[in-house]
Amino acid sequence: MKWADLIVIGFYILLVMGATYWSLKQVKNSNDFFAAGGKLPWWLSGVSHHMSGYSAAVFVAYAAVAYNYGFTMYVWWAVPIAIGVFAGSFLFAPRWARLRRRLNIESPMEYLSIRYNVPTQQMMAWSGVLLKVFDVGAKWAAIAVILNVFTGLDIMTGIFISGAVGLFYTAIGGLWADALNDFGQFIVQLLAAAAMIVAVASRLGGFGELLTMWDRLPAEHSMPLREPYTLGFVLAYLLIYTFSYNGGTWNLAQRFIASPRGKDARKAAVLSSILYLVWPLFIFYPMWAAPILFPGLEDPTKSYSIMATELLPHGLIGLVLIAMFTQTLAMTSSDANAITAVVTRDILPVMFPKKFQKNRTSLFAVRLTVLIFILVTVMIALNAKSFGGVLDLLIIWFGGLVGPISIPMLLGLLPWFRRSGSAAAITSWCAGIAAFILVKFVIPDLSTAAVVAAPVLTSLVIYAGMGWLNPNKVVRAEVDELLDALNRDDDDDYAPVPPKGAVTDAG
């Protein structure tokens, strides 16, 4: 790292501080903190949804997959997300915005107390919080690897620095700060990716070599599917990504909740879907070329970082570093925001009803919860190897467990599953978790596809089956009313309802 790199990084930090300060001025209550007051423009929501959907793990764990396996990285990661989010733009995204307008929700878990009951809501909330602790921990560990390559900082120091910066703008500016910094990170990443592609093309011998380089790679690197990333694996992840990226991952649901109307949430989802189809090609191309330029790397997780430090001039190296660093902050800070919403809006008011009132959530309690969550995830990051490393935490643990948690939450929004009540939600969750334990720890030598598919398929079959086979055709009136309201595309026929009793000071 030279002075030119440090100047670029310093300039970007000033922009982040400016965006955070502006966001602080917009936050007067918990509704502003968690849902941007329902005023997030569709284009900003769409870019933020896209940027919050992946972290620096793409440049670490997934870079290793691209280095070792080639084009299949795009086929099993980006394409299923694009398809799933596009489908969700019609099924799920508008319903999240309508929930906020009709029920004043700020957390994606809030409506579950009406849809099912409070015990079901609590079970889903607690299990989701525990899952995200491990997921975010993996992302802190990933950014520490990048900082290590670029700056020589040891892993522990990198994790602490990342957590501190994420804590700064998440605790101060809430969702507004997340979304604005996501947009800034998108612009920086655009410039950084363009610089990397130009550098790689120059080293290969010209831009034409970007198309013909596949002849210089092993034949299997151009295959869309190869072991262990088989068609079954892709289909399993298509199902998982559909649930995860449409709200099963809570921070992504928040982008839709914060949209002014259902139609705005739909446009945001379509934009994010297009970005997932196009943008990863720019990110992955240098990774696919890495085996030609740097053959035989001992640690492929460092391939992208090594290329940046070896191929780019100083100044652009700093740009690439800040792009990857802030990409992790985009996801982890939005995760922290979403988890805080669930804890302060859904868990604490039930545990301590006299001290915490859902409709009077203090900003002090909100910011304290952000602090505690980030500290816990940093501790997980410091012990990532105990869980199989970054890639296992992201692909196996998160992929295997997100389905059982998200299925009752997402399908509970749809009228076709109105007869699937609290018993179906709890049973499907328990069965999905049991299936994960069985395929992960009991049955030996199963494929990765089986490990990630078994839990989500088990939960899906049980949730839907118990509803369809339910002999009791009577559905609670408030559930019928809620689902019918969410199914109506009448966003312009009523005005948004202001939050009740929101606290407007920092206490």
Side-chain angles (χ1 to χ4, degrees):
M1 299 291 289
K2 302 295 183 182
W3 279 108
D5 303 310
L6 297 177
I7 290 172
V8 170
I9 294 171
F11 180 71
Y12 187 79
I13 289 174
L14 289 176
L15 291 178
V16 169
M17 292 176 66
T20 303
Y21 178 76
W22 182 90
S23 301
L24 175 63
K25 298 297 184 182
Q26 314 308 310
V27 177
K28 301 296 188 295
N29 52 54
S30 62
N31 182 263
D32 294 330
F33 191 95
F34 293 129
K39 299 174 182 177
L40 205 63
W42 69 267
W43 57 268
L44 183 56
S45 177
V47 171
S48 181
H49 181 278
H50 173 76
M51 296 299 289
S52 296
Y54 59 97
S55 69
V58 167
F59 304 98
V60 179
Y62 291 177
V65 176
Y67 185 93
N68 290 323
Y69 296 92
F71 186 70
T72 188
M73 181 69 249
Y74 174 76
V75 175
W76 75 256
W77 181 72
V79 173
I81 296 176
I83 294 172
V85 174
F86 184 76
S89 69
F90 298 94
L91 291 174
F92 302 114
R95 287 178 165 86
W96 285 120
R98 292 169 193 159
L99 274 175
R100 178 189 54 77
R101 289 167 64 82
R102 296 182 185 279
L103 300 180
N104 298 312
I105 71 165
E106 297 171 16
S107 149
M109 293 277 103
E110 283 188 64
Y111 94 99
L112 296 181
S113 61
I114 296 176
R115 178 61 180 84
Y116 302 114
N117 52 35
V118 172
T120 304
Q121 178 204 41
Q122 292 298 293
M123 180 197 71
M124 303 295 293
W126 275 102
S127 58
V129 168
L130 292 174
L131 175 61
K132 290 307 294 183
V133 163
F134 289 95
D135 183 47
V136 174
K139 294 174 177 64
W140 294 133
I143 191 60
V145 172
I146 289 174
L147 287 174
N148 174 260
V149 175
F150 276 84
T151 68
L153 284 173
D154 63 86
I155 298 298
M156 182 180 295
T157 303
I159 289 171
F160 279 123
I161 289 175
S162 303
V165 176
L167 176 64
F168 165 71
Y169 76 78
T170 304
I172 292 177
L175 187 61
W176 270 119
D178 286 344
L180 288 174
N181 283 310
D182 287 347
F183 185 75
Q185 289 149 18
F186 178 74
I187 300 300
V188 170
Q189 195 179 99
L190 176 66
L191 298 174
M196 280 293 291
I197 289 176
V198 171
V200 168
S202 176
R203 180 62 67 92
L204 288 174
F207 283 98
E209 293 297 317
L210 292 175
L211 299 178
T212 60
M213 72 177 191
W214 299 98
D215 297 332
R216 300 161 61 179
L217 289 163
E220 57 269 20
H221 274 233
S222 58
M223 294 171 59
L225 298 173
R226 53 178 295 203
E227 291 285 349
Y229 307 107
T230 61
L231 179 60
F233 182 90
V234 173
L235 293 176
Y237 259 90
L238 173 60
L239 185 61
I240 290 169
Y241 286 147
T242 299
F243 288 116
S244 175
Y245 281 74
N246 285 296
T249 301
W250 298 340
N251 63 305
L252 301 180
Q254 277 190 298
R255 272 63 189 162
F256 302 139
I257 291 171
S259 296
R261 295 179 175 82
K263 62 183 180 181
D264 298 294
R266 178 180 290 117
K267 289 194 290 186
V270 170
L271 173 59
S272 181
S273 173
I274 294 171
L275 289 175
Y276 272 112
L277 198 61
V278 175
W279 187 239
L281 291 173
F282 292 91
I283 297 175
F284 289 146
Y285 233 98
M287 300 179 191
W288 291 327
I292 300 174
L293 302 178
F294 299 93
L297 282 181
E298 219 175 281
D299 186 1
T301 62
K302 298 181 178 180
S303 59
Y304 195 87
S305 302
I306 290 173
M307 280 200 300
T309 56
E310 293 289 333
L311 302 182
L312 294 176
H314 290 289
L316 290 180
I317 292 176
L319 185 68
V320 171
L321 172 59
I322 203 67
M324 292 189 286
F325 180 79
T326 56
Q327 182 60 58
T328 292
L329 296 184
M331 194 170 196
T332 51
S333 60
S334 61
D335 278 333
N337 186 287
I339 295 300
T340 303
V342 171
V343 171
T344 57
R345 299 281 297 180
D346 303 315
I347 293 178
L348 293 180
V350 173
M351 293 179 64
F352 309 103
K354 293 183 180 180
K355 292 185 177 181
F356 295 91
Q357 299 179 34
K358 181 181 293 187
N359 292 324
R360 292 189 59 81
T361 306
S362 77
L363 291 180
F364 175 78
V366 166
R367 286 166 175 148
L368 179 61
T369 306
V370 172
L371 170 63
I372 294 172
F373 173 76
I374 289 182
L375 288 177
V376 172
T377 56
V378 163
M379 295 305 297
I380 293 293
L382 293 173
N383 295 278
K385 290 184 179 179
S386 300
F387 302 97
V390 173
L391 192 60
D392 258 17
L393 274 172
L394 290 173
I395 294 181
I396 305 299
W397 284 84
F398 184 76
L401 294 175
V402 71
I405 294 172
S406 61
I407 281 174
M409 187 172 71
L410 269 294
L411 297 187
L413 292 169
L414 304 179
W416 312 298
F417 298 94
R418 67 177 70 230
R419 288 171 59 189
S420 295
S422 59
I426 293 174
T427 305
S428 68
W429 178 88
C430 292
I433 299 298
F436 176 75
I437 294 172
L438 186 67
V439 298
K440 176 66 175 171
F441 300 107
V442 178
I443 302 177
D445 302 325
L446 286 177
S447 66
T448 305
V451 173
V452 298
V456 66
L457 289 175
T458 300
S459 293
L460 178 60
V461 169
I462 290 180
Y463 182 84
M466 288 185 67
W468 291 334
L469 298 175
N470 185 0
N472 181 15
K473 296 183 179 181
V474 178
V475 179
R476 286 185 294 126
E478 59 184 344
V479 174
D480 262 335
E481 181 181 352
L482 173 64
L483 293 178
D484 289 342
L486 296 180
N487 203 45
R488 289 198 300 269
D489 193 11
D490 59 351
D491 289 332
D492 295 321
D493 295 342
Y494 62 93
V497 182
K500 299 176 182 178
V503 173
T504 59
D505 57 36

